[in-house]
């Protein structure tokens, strides 16, 4: 173990991202490996939100929409986010939740492929994506059908002349497995379909190149690796080539070409602004802006390199220190095939994770048996890997996980 | 004028709501009559939001979903709001924007009336409601049609066997005219249709009785009279009798019966929770909670009485002090037929409102020619009426509105 100690300490000393850690508020004595559920609080966020509340809303009231350009805030956050996605600023909108944005984009995709009716996806996808597709299917009757495959290697064969859109999550939320975005997008295109990517576990975690991959559509999350705060607004991407023709059904006033003309007829705004719907939530957007700009300061290649190295260290250390305790790796062995997380399976995974959290190491559990550890290279240290694995070893060696208190399922697991 | 001075000062001294004013942050020297666009900042909000950011998100991170019951926050705000709507706590959800919620409820209404396809509405409705209906129409092809009437007195005759839902805004955003909710709901029901009410300018402004009026569906706004902050989450209401059958199409995970089981098939939650979609925006909800609870402390009959008295005083004083300056009342003459606002029409309305704002009196302008003054009885004083009318008199007497700077249309008007 002392070899590991020295090696990880050296990696921390050499870490080009080390200075970012001070830009976050992190509770004393906690190792936080759950930034893929809720990113940590950037140090600048509290003041930024307080300024919007006290100085802008409190003092300038309604005039803040112009004076502090609240009306431009969604567009500013989108423009700051675009480089992290490999997208143009005019291809990204920040609004609503992933669920609502997926609904818009699935409907848009089906309208762009009017003679096709199938949404093709994986059964193991994060469920909300499947639910949204099912909701659209129920609304549209026979005009939309969600088709699920059980294994990723069945996707290409399942693409056919009925497929309107291939809807995939880039990084699997349980295993961390990364899809080949360029390859699967090309396969979708070869079949005449569009490709829609859910970037919930990708944005702020991996370098992304939506344009280079020729992706058609994408959605993603503000509150995970972008550190935008609980329930932060989500984002969506529509490739420039579709912006003229794409229409979305939730035709709210913020997507209108001239919302303040108050005319009774809907006319979609030019470009991606038409994917906005209602009035934007300014407080939540102000928090998201801080997280996105902070992430934008980092070199995403360095972020990815550190995240891969942390994953390698975690799996190697776990193999050494947790042997015989019944864990099985539940993520790809190759770092390049994993997102910014590692996953271990264990039949008692739920209770073990609760016991580990009681030790001050926060990861999370995903049914049925996955312990998930996310790496946020801007605030996690290499040292966190050792602390986490050693805490897990103590939980297993002491049997503390068998405490009945750790078996009780909370509302949010 | 001195008679008015004394009368209004006496009304302020006798005002049973006067103590509420100290519960708000109000900028020095400003008279704010635009609480119907963006309500003022409750004094408690900044600390409440800061606690969520610093103590909860910052220190307890992901565990806050359980530890601080973030997962229950939408339901808590909904339960606090329900009495203000005359609804049961299990009939209200707080989520998304009005636009998104209208989309859900219009789709739900059409599914509840499967052999009907018409959404009946007024052309003068706040446009986003019409846009959302048009978006649904475009998505659903011939299965949905938005039918508009030009005058309110045409509504009843237009209800027929094709009408699935009568969609009305309770208080007109330009004129403040109040619809007879009970009467029009009964007319919709007599024709076999549902009634959907937009309460954007009603919630927190008038006593509401959705149950007593037998309303079927409603939506409303958190950032106007409920003082929830810019872009605060909106709310929706579904009458208990429809909760079992009503389905909505944006089937996100927060509307699932067991979201944390992560099963691939959507199963709607029991009751109104199925109208949730994505992860709730916790910062914005925390601000809204303060506004809703503060409004809940007030007696809505006192709120309404003060609001009507302020409107009466404003119109009487305007008739006296602004005579000959070209203003025409653009709201109902009877206080009971007005919401919590008065409106004056003037061909130079835009520039006059800009000049008035420069005098420290904030109302707003609505195209084509409406100056709108909203009364928020929790923080407005009777004295504000006199200050506003006198400022308007100075603007007209001095001709300051003719300054070219006041002719330039801002992005948000």
């Amino acid at each position: 173990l002392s070899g590991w100690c020295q090696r990880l300490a050296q990696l921390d000393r050499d870490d080009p991202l080390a200075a970012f850690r001070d830009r976050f508020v992190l509770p004393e004595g906690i190792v936080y490996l759950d930034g893929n559920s809720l990113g940590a609080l950037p140090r600048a966020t509290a003041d930024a939100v307080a300024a919007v509340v006290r100085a802008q809303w409190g003092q300038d009231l309604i005039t803040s929409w112009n004076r502090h350009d609240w009306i431009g805030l969604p567009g500013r956050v989108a423009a700051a986010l675009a480089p992290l996605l490999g997208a143009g600023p005019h291809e990204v909108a920040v609004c609503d939740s992933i669920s609502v944005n997926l609904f818009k984009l699935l409907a848009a995709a089906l309208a762009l492929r009017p003679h096709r009716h199938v949404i093709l996806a994986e059964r193991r996808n994060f469920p909300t994506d499947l639910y949204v597709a099912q909701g659209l299917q129920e609304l549209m009757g026979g005009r939309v059908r969600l088709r699920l495959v059980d294994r990723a290697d069945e996707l290409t064969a399942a693409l056919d002349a009925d497929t309107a859109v291939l809807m995939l999550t880039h990084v699997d939320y349980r295993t961390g497995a990364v899809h080949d975005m360029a390859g699967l997008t090309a396969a979708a295109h070869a079949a005449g379909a569009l490709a829609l990517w859910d970037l919930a576990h990708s944005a702020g975690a991996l370098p992304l190149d939506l344009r280079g991959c020729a992706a058609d559509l994408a959605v993603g999350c503000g509150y995970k690796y972008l550190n935008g705060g609980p329930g932060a607004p989500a984002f969506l991407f529509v490739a420039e080539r579709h912006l003229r023709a794409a229409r979305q059904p939730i035709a709210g006033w913020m997507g209108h070409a001239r919302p303040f003309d108050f005319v009774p007829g809907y006319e979609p705004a030019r470009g991606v602004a038409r994917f906005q719907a209602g009035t934007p939530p300014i407080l939540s957007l102000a928090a998201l802006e801080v997280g996105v700009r902070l992430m934008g300061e980092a070199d995403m290649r360095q972020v990815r390199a550190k995240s891969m190295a942390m994953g390698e260290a975690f799996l190697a250390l776990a193999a050494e220190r947790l042997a015989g305790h019944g864990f099985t790796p539940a993520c790809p062995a190759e770092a390049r095939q994993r997102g910014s997380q590692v996953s271990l399976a264990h039949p008692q995974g739920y209770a073990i994770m609760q016991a580990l959290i009681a030790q001050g190491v926060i990861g999370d559990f995903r049914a049925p048996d996955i312990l998930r550890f996310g790496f946020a290279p801007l605030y996690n240290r290499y040292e966190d890997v050792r602390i986490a694995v050693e805490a897990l070893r103590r939980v297993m060696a002491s049997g503390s996980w068998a405490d009945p208190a750790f078996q009780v399922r909370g509302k949010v697991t």
Side-chain angles (χ1 to χ4, degrees), chain A:
Chain A
L1 184 65
S2 74
W4 275 108
C5 266
Q6 290 167 23
R7 215 173 315 158
L8 294 170
Q10 188 62 47
L11 285 168
D12 277 323
R13 279 191 297 273
D14 296 342
D15 178 6
L17 300 171
F20 279 100
R21 183 172 166 90
D22 276 345
R23 310 278 294 276
F24 290 86
V25 173
L26 293 163
E28 277 299 311
I30 296 291
V31 166
Y32 192 60
L33 300 178
D34 206 8
N36 47 346
S37 260
L38 174 64
L41 170 63
R43 210 168 274 284
T45 300
D47 286 349
V49 173
V52 171
V53 173
R54 291 178 200 269
Q56 299 182 11
W57 175 16
Q59 292 302 312
D60 292 331
L61 291 155
I62 188 69
T63 66
S64 297
W65 284 100
N66 288 324
R67 195 173 296 184
H68 303 291
D69 198 21
W70 286 350
I71 197 71
L73 182 55
R76 285 201 303 283
V77 181
L81 176 58
L84 290 167
L85 309 178
H90 56 291
E91 295 175 312
V92 179
V94 170
C95 50
D96 298 313
S97 61
I98 288 195
S99 301
V100 170
N101 288 338
L102 257 178
F103 186 89
K104 297 172 189 166
L105 293 195
L106 286 175
L110 287 154
L112 287 169
R113 290 291 177 273
H115 303 297
R116 294 162 173 248
H117 66 286
V118 168
I119 300 168
L120 180 62
E122 291 180 281
R123 192 178 306 280
R124 68 177 188 181
N125 207 333
F126 188 77
T128 207
D129 299 26
L130 305 182
Y131 302 160
V132 169
Q134 289 163 38
L136 188 63
Q137 176 177 273
E138 184 173 316
L139 179 69
M140 302 298 288
R143 291 156 64 194
V144 175
R145 188 167 74 81
L146 173 64
R147 180 176 170 194
L148 299 178
V149 300
D150 288 318
R151 296 196 329 269
D153 60 13
E154 297 171 87
L155 284 167
T156 305
L159 285 162
D160 62 23
D162 291 332
T163 313
V165 57
L166 174 62
M167 173 180 78
L168 292 174
T169 297
H170 183 223
V171 176
D172 185 279
Y173 77 106
R174 282 197 185 93
T175 66
V178 182
H179 274 308
D180 170 9
M181 189 187 288
L184 284 162
T185 298
H189 291 175
L194 301 174
L196 190 169
W197 291 96
D198 181 338
L199 305 176
H201 290 268
S202 310
L206 322 182
L208 292 169
D209 187 11
L210 287 170
R211 293 190 130 185
C213 294
D216 299 286
L217 304 162
V219 297
C221 178
Y223 55 77
K224 296 179 186 288
Y225 293 104
L226 295 173
N227 306 307
F235 64 85
L236 59 82
F237 159 88
V238 179
E240 187 169 28
R241 64 187 176 281
H242 297 305
L243 281 175
R244 188 182 292 266
R247 295 283 294 251
Q248 64 101 351
I250 310 178
W253 70 319
M254 286 295 151
H256 195 280
R258 293 174 309 282
F260 298 103
D261 281 5
F262 297 98
V263 293
Y266 184 69
E267 182 193 330
R270 282 184 186 220
V272 76
R274 67 178 57 175
F275 286 86
Q276 298 276 353
T279 306
I282 298 301
L283 308 190
S284 294
L285 275 167
L288 177 59
E289 183 174 27
V290 175
V292 167
R293 291 196 188 280
L294 182 50
M295 186 56 65
E297 291 181 38
D299 179 333
M300 284 305 298
R301 289 163 306 182
Q302 292 178 350
V303 169
R304 179 65 173 147
K306 179 174 175 184
S307 143
M308 291 195 296
M310 289 184 75
E312 293 289 84
F314 192 107
L315 291 175
L317 202 49
E320 202 176 304
R321 302 287 290 169
L322 303 176
H325 286 302
F327 292 100
T328 325
C331 52
E334 278 277 327
R336 274 182 305 182
Q337 290 171 16
R338 287 193 306 265
S340 197
Q341 68 175 75
V342 295
S343 305
L344 303 176
H346 194 289
Q348 302 299 330
Y350 181 82
I352 292 168
M353 182 54 77
Q354 302 316 304
L356 184 65
I357 291 170
Q359 295 276 322
V361 175
I362 301 179
D364 66 14
F365 173 78
R366 284 292 174 258
D369 62 355
I370 302 273
L371 296 100
R372 194 175 71 162
F373 300 93
F375 307 116
L378 295 200
Y379 54 81
N380 286 135
R381 302 162 304 190
Y382 287 96
E383 190 192 10
D384 292 346
V385 167
R386 178 183 53 77
I387 297 170
V389 174
E390 288 308 296
L392 204 44
R393 181 180 157 98
R394 280 197 306 278
V395 164
M396 300 315 293
S398 69
S400 72
W401 61 268
D403 186 320
F406 297 137
Q407 320 294 319
V408 181
R409 303 277 171 132
K411 276 179 286 189
V412 186
T413 58

